[in-house]
Coordinates of all heavy atoms in Angstrom, one line a residue:
H980 N 85.7 113.5 -46.6 CA 85.4 114.7 -45.8 C 85.6 116.0 -46.7 O 86.4 115.9 -47.6 CB 86.3 114.8 -44.5 CG 85.9 115.9 -43.6 ND1 86.5 117.2 -43.6 CD2 84.9 115.9 -42.7 CE1 85.9 117.9 -42.7 NE2 84.9 117.3 -42.1
Y981 N 84.9 117.0 -46.3 CA 84.9 118.3 -47.1 C 86.4 118.9 -47.1 O 86.6 119.8 -47.9 CB 84.0 119.3 -46.5 CG 82.6 119.0 -46.6 CD1 81.8 118.9 -45.6 CD2 82.0 119.0 -47.9 CE1 80.4 118.7 -45.7 CE2 80.6 118.8 -48.1 CZ 79.8 118.7 -47.0 OH 78.5 118.5 -47.1
Y982 N 87.3 118.5 -46.3 CA 88.6 119.0 -46.3 C 89.6 118.3 -47.2 O 90.7 118.6 -47.3 CB 89.2 119.1 -44.8 CG 88.5 119.9 -43.8 CD1 88.8 119.7 -42.4 CD2 87.6 120.8 -44.1 CE1 88.1 120.4 -41.5 CE2 86.9 121.6 -43.1 CZ 87.2 121.4 -41.8 OH 86.6 122.2 -40.8
G995 N 80.9 114.6 -46.6 CA 80.1 115.2 -45.6 C 80.9 115.6 -44.4 O 82.1 115.6 -44.4
D996 N 80.3 116.1 -43.3 CA 80.9 116.4 -42.1 C 81.0 115.1 -41.3 O 80.7 114.0 -41.7 CB 80.1 117.5 -41.3 CG 78.8 117.1 -40.9 OD1 78.3 115.9 -41.0 OD2 78.1 118.0 -40.3
S997 N 81.6 115.2 -40.1 CA 81.9 114.1 -39.3 C 80.7 113.3 -39.0 O 80.7 112.0 -39.1 CB 82.6 114.5 -38.0 OG 83.7 115.3 -38.3
L998 N 79.6 113.9 -38.7 CA 78.4 113.2 -38.3 C 77.8 112.5 -39.6 O 77.5 111.3 -39.5 CB 77.3 114.1 -37.8 CG 75.9 113.4 -37.5 CD1 76.1 112.4 -36.3 CD2 74.9 114.4 -37.1
V1017 N 90.6 111.7 -42.1 CA 91.7 111.4 -41.2 C 91.5 110.1 -40.4 O 90.3 109.7 -40.4 CB 92.1 112.6 -40.2 CG1 92.7 113.7 -41.1 CG2 90.8 113.2 -39.6
F1019 N 90.9 109.3 -37.2 CA 89.8 109.0 -36.3 C 88.5 108.8 -37.0 O 87.6 108.1 -36.5 CB 89.7 110.1 -35.2 CG 89.1 111.4 -35.7 CD1 87.7 111.6 -35.8 CD2 89.9 112.6 -36.1 CE1 87.1 112.7 -36.3 CE2 89.3 113.7 -36.6 CZ 87.9 113.8 -36.7
M1020 N 88.4 109.3 -38.2 CA 87.1 109.2 -39.0 C 87.0 107.7 -39.5 O 86.0 107.1 -39.4 CB 87.1 110.2 -40.1 CG 87.0 111.6 -39.7 SD 87.0 112.7 -41.1 CE 86.7 114.3 -40.3
Y1068 N 84.1 115.0 -28.2 CA 84.1 115.3 -29.6 C 84.6 114.2 -30.4 O 85.5 113.5 -30.0 CB 84.9 116.6 -29.8 CG 84.8 117.3 -31.1 CD1 83.7 117.3 -31.8 CD2 85.9 118.0 -31.6 CE1 83.6 118.0 -33.1 CE2 85.9 118.7 -32.8 CZ 84.7 118.6 -33.5 OH 84.6 119.3 -34.8
N1070 N 86.4 114.0 -32.8 CA 87.9 114.1 -33.1 C 88.8 113.6 -31.9 O 89.5 114.4 -31.2 CB 88.2 115.6 -33.4 CG 87.5 116.2 -34.5 OD1 86.3 115.9 -34.8 ND2 88.1 117.0 -35.3
T1084 N 79.5 115.6 -32.4 CA 80.2 116.3 -33.5 C 79.7 117.7 -33.3 O 78.9 118.1 -32.5 CB 79.8 115.7 -34.8 OG1 78.6 116.2 -35.2 CG2 79.9 114.3 -34.9
S1085 N 80.3 118.6 -34.2 CA 80.0 120.0 -34.1 C 78.4 120.2 -34.5 O 77.9 121.3 -34.2 CB 80.9 120.8 -34.9 OG 81.1 120.3 -36.2
H1131 N 92.2 125.6 -36.8 CA 91.3 126.6 -36.5 C 91.7 127.6 -35.5 O 91.0 128.5 -35.2 CB 90.0 125.8 -35.9 CG 89.3 125.1 -37.1 ND1 89.5 123.8 -37.4 CD2 88.3 125.6 -37.9 CE1 88.8 123.6 -38.5 NE2 88.0 124.5 -38.7
H1154 N 83.7 127.9 -38.2 CA 83.6 126.6 -37.6 C 83.7 126.8 -36.0 O 84.6 127.5 -35.6 CB 84.5 125.6 -38.1 CG 84.3 124.2 -37.8 ND1 84.6 123.6 -36.6 CD2 83.6 123.3 -38.5 CE1 84.2 122.4 -36.6 NE2 83.6 122.1 -37.8
E1156 N 85.3 125.2 -34.0 CA 86.6 124.9 -33.4 C 87.5 126.1 -33.4 O 88.6 126.1 -32.9 CB 87.4 123.8 -34.3 CG 86.8 122.4 -34.1 CD 87.5 121.4 -35.1 OE1 88.6 121.7 -35.5 OE2 86.8 120.4 -35.4
S1170 N 79.0 123.4 -38.3 CA 79.9 122.3 -38.8 C 80.1 122.6 -40.2 O 79.5 123.5 -40.9 CB 79.2 120.9 -38.6 OG 78.2 120.9 -39.6
T1171 N 81.0 121.8 -40.9 CA 81.2 122.0 -42.3 C 79.9 121.9 -43.1 O 79.7 122.7 -44.1 CB 82.3 121.0 -42.8 OG1 81.9 119.7 -42.4 CG2 83.7 121.3 -42.3
T1172 N 79.0 120.9 -42.8 CA 77.8 120.8 -43.6 C 76.9 122.0 -43.2 O 76.3 122.6 -44.1 CB 77.0 119.5 -43.2 OG1 77.8 118.4 -43.5 CG2 75.7 119.4 -43.8
M1224 N 94.8 116.2 -43.3 CA 93.8 115.9 -44.3 C 94.4 115.9 -45.6 O 94.1 115.0 -46.5 CB 92.7 117.0 -44.3 CG 91.7 116.9 -43.2 SD 90.4 115.6 -43.5 CE 89.5 115.8 -42.0
Ligands
13P2314 P1 83.0 118.7 -39.2 O1 83.1 118.4 -40.6 O2 82.2 117.6 -38.5 O3 82.4 120.1 -39.0 O4 84.5 118.6 -38.5 C1 85.5 119.5 -38.9 C2 86.8 118.9 -38.7 O5 87.7 119.5 -38.1 C3 87.0 117.6 -39.0 O6 88.4 117.3 -38.7

Side-chain angles (χ1 to χ4, degrees):
H980 188 265
Y981 289 120
Y982 296 165
D996 66 1
S997 309
L998 177 64
V1017 288
F1019 76 81
M1020 295 177 170
Y1068 189 33
N1070 297 38
T1084 73
S1085 42
H1131 288 88
H1154 193 279
E1156 285 176 23
S1170 78
T1171 49
T1172 297
M1224 286 278 183

